Each structure stands twice: as structure tokens, then as C-alpha cells.
Amino acid sequence: MNVDLRIQWAIEEMQRRMSEELSVDELARQVNLSRSRFAHLFREQTGVAPGRYLRDFRLDRARLLLETTFLSIKEVMAAVGFNDPSHFSRDFQQAFG
């Protein structure tokens, strides 16, 4: 199955703008789809909701940075777009134990 070009673009945009505030509404608007249609198509193409995909991508990148750099947790959080330490800690622990 080929990934829809709009979904591919959205994934690349998530990766490019990982450290920025990014909403599903904004992504949907940028590919000329309604929020619900975008979310449906994204889930159909990737198997997960767009918000979850972005969160998981950010957490995977955070893990990589923590394992391979000398950045502080605060610096890693900023690099991957988390602003709340407790939210980051909870999500990271849930994802990786």
C-alpha cells in the first residue's frame, strides 16, 4: 500500500517541526482536509492517530538523545517539543519503563 502524499507530507512536517507546537488541525488545514478526514486517513495509512504518532516520534527521539548525547533532560525535552516535565516523565516512563 502506498502512503497518500498528504499523509507523507504531514509525517515529514512532524519530523521537521518536532520541537514546535504542532496541532492536528494545523496539519489537516495545510493538506486541505477536514480534521476528521485527515485523522481518518492518517490512521488508515499509519495504524495510529496523528497525535499519537507525533508523541511516539518525539519520545523515540528523546530516548535516542538521552542515550547518545550529554544533553540534560531539560535540553532533550526542549529539543523534542515537550514543555511540561511531569508530562514528559509520565509519557517516557509509560513508553519505555
Side-chain angles (χ1 to χ4, degrees):
M1 174 194 238
N2 290 331
V3 176
D4 185 288
L5 291 177
R6 296 167 294 188
I7 301 306
Q8 183 63 43
W9 180 89
I11 289 169
E12 291 169 4
E13 187 73 355
M14 288 176 183
Q15 293 170 353
R16 275 191 302 273
R17 296 179 53 198
M18 170 181 42
S19 64
E20 300 174 28
E21 185 72 29
L22 192 59
S23 71
V24 174
D25 288 333
E26 181 181 349
L27 290 170
R29 201 171 28 257
Q30 290 180 353
V31 294
N32 280 336
L33 293 171
S34 69
R35 183 186 201 287
S36 61
R37 179 66 185 138
F38 173 74
H40 175 79
L41 188 58
F42 194 98
R43 183 174 290 138
E44 182 178 68
Q45 296 280 308
T46 66
V48 295
R52 173 120 191 204
Y53 186 95
L54 180 58
R55 185 192 65 138
D56 290 349
F57 178 77
R58 286 175 168 166
L59 288 170
D60 286 341
R61 183 59 54 94
R63 183 180 188 185
L64 178 68
L65 290 173
L66 288 169
E67 291 175 347
T68 62
T69 70
F70 293 103
L71 295 173
S72 70
I73 292 176
K74 201 173 211 177
E75 290 169 320
V76 168
M77 284 176 42
V80 299
F82 277 89
N83 299 317
D84 179 9
S86 62
H87 188 120
F88 175 75
S89 176
R90 184 193 68 223
D91 285 355
F92 193 88
Q93 185 173 14
Q94 186 178 25
F96 303 114

